[in-house]
Amino acid sequence: MSAHIPEGEVHPPKSHPPEERAEAWSSAAEAYDDFAEGATRHFAEDAVRLVRLRPGSRVLDVAAGTGVFTFAAARRGAEVLATDFSAGMIEAIGRKCAAQGLTTVKTAVMDGQALTVEDASFDVAASLFGLMFFPEHDRGLRELLRVLKPGGQAVVTTWAPPSRGEMFRLIGSAVMKALPNLPPPSKPPHWAALGDADDLRRRLLSVGFARAHVVSVTHVWTFESPEWLEQRLSSMSPASAGLFEAMNAAQRETFRRALIDDLRERQGEGPFAVTNEGLIAVGTKSSGT
């Protein structure tokens, strides 16, 4: 079984957006795990191939979420510390480690912007689709850099901008049918600040990484049915839960019907799939620091 390092769940002020509150992610942990594992698993496999990861490597997974990077690294013989500020997410990772017989994984509740681990103690530090939600992106990147050994590598993934995401377009179209008077967002979501490859590379270099590169990767995500997808959208993240809570019953039904009809019009009786584009950034720490 995985070992758990007991620490308290991290609770930012209630005024923070829901995706920055640990208790909101803990409430969504089961639905998010069911929804996101399939959408992110292939990106984790890419990420482990883009860093020097060997049997016995010490790996830190920050904002580990569903644990897809943790499991990919552990299966390759790495010793992994999986961290997340949500106790619910960490409990789910622990259960899956036990079910898979992974004995080289430890877990801890930890704030990715203030990691309670020693400097220069890991060969690889990762954050897959987690650091993008941090209130201060650069602070999270500096923490990854701090905990790396000289010559160590950090790998960070984020989604491409919403305009390039098929899932975002599908959901956005259904929302507009359900809420036709909803004003467009005044600015892109906070996480989208990491969605430009050149800017992301410059950001890694600016916080102190000696080298950095970013690749764009697209994967096909398949799922059982439009109904399976629709049923999970309402609770799969704090932001989506807030959106659906704001709808009345008629609006939720309009959204449901619009999403299902859109997918069936394009893909008939399936198999059902959408494409997801993500950016994978790798930063290397100087071997002299």
Side-chain angles (χ1 to χ4, degrees):
M1 294 180 60
S2 65
H4 175 63
I5 302 174
E7 295 187 39
E9 188 163 42
V10 181
H11 295 280
K14 288 286 186 182
S15 58
H16 282 226
E19 62 268 21
E20 295 178 12
R21 299 205 302 265
E23 70 274 15
W25 281 106
S26 287
S27 297
E30 183 176 353
Y32 177 77
D33 191 81
D34 193 21
F35 177 91
E37 193 274 340
T40 60
R41 182 177 62 250
H42 296 304
F43 292 95
E45 293 296 329
D46 291 332
V48 295
R49 291 196 297 268
L50 287 169
V51 292
R52 293 187 300 272
L53 197 154
R54 306 177 180 89
S57 293
R58 292 203 70 209
V59 173
L60 178 67
D61 191 359
V62 176
T66 65
V68 286
F69 186 87
T70 287
F71 306 137
R75 286 193 294 268
R76 287 164 172 78
E79 298 176 2
V80 186
L81 174 59
T83 69
D84 201 288
F85 77 158
S86 162
M89 294 288 188
I90 288 300
E91 290 167 4
I93 290 174
R95 290 193 297 269
K96 287 191 284 188
C97 284
Q100 296 180 36
L102 296 175
T103 60
T104 59
V105 176
K106 295 181 179 180
T107 60
V109 177
M110 216 176 282
D111 183 350
Q113 296 183 131
L115 297 165
T116 54
V117 298
E118 296 180 356
D119 295 356
S121 53
F122 290 89
D123 301 294
V124 172
S127 185
L128 269 66
F129 305 106
L131 187 146
M132 65 186 196
F133 292 118
F134 289 7
E136 299 178 52
H137 294 143
D138 287 355
R139 186 176 171 187
L141 291 172
R142 290 190 185 98
E143 278 295 88
L144 296 183
L145 178 65
R146 177 184 68 80
V147 304
L148 286 173
K149 299 175 183 178
Q153 293 176 300
V155 58
V156 175
T157 70
T158 184
W159 297 119
S163 61
R164 303 213 306 262
E166 185 178 15
M167 179 64 73
F168 295 112
R169 292 196 298 272
L170 281 167
I171 294 173
S173 176
V175 167
M176 290 309 299
K177 290 176 181 176
L179 302 169
N181 297 319
L182 183 71
S186 59
K187 59 182 180 180
H190 173 67
W191 60 262
L194 300 182
D196 181 85
D198 291 336
D199 286 347
L200 182 52
R201 179 178 182 274
R202 285 192 290 268
R203 190 184 288 262
L204 286 165
L205 295 173
S206 72
V207 301
F209 285 95
R211 293 182 299 281
H213 70 281
V214 180
V215 297
S216 175
V217 180
T218 299
H219 285 294
V220 176
W221 175 41
T222 60
F223 45 90
E224 298 172 14
S225 68
E227 289 81 6
W228 181 95
L229 178 64
E230 179 274 326
Q231 289 166 10
R232 284 153 181 80
L233 281 176
S234 63
S235 56
M236 65 92 180
S237 76
S240 66
L243 174 65
F244 281 88
E245 287 170 4
M247 294 183 187
N248 59 36
Q251 290 166 336
R252 286 194 291 271
E253 177 59 21
T254 298
F255 175 92
R256 187 186 78 84
R257 195 71 262 157
L259 182 72
I260 292 172
D261 288 350
D262 190 347
L263 282 163
R264 289 202 179 277
E265 180 181 352
R266 294 186 301 124
Q267 301 182 33
E269 294 304 311
F272 295 95
V274 296
T275 55
N276 290 317
E277 180 186 355
L279 303 179
I280 305 178
V282 177
T284 302
K285 188 173 184 176
S286 170
S287 59
T289 58

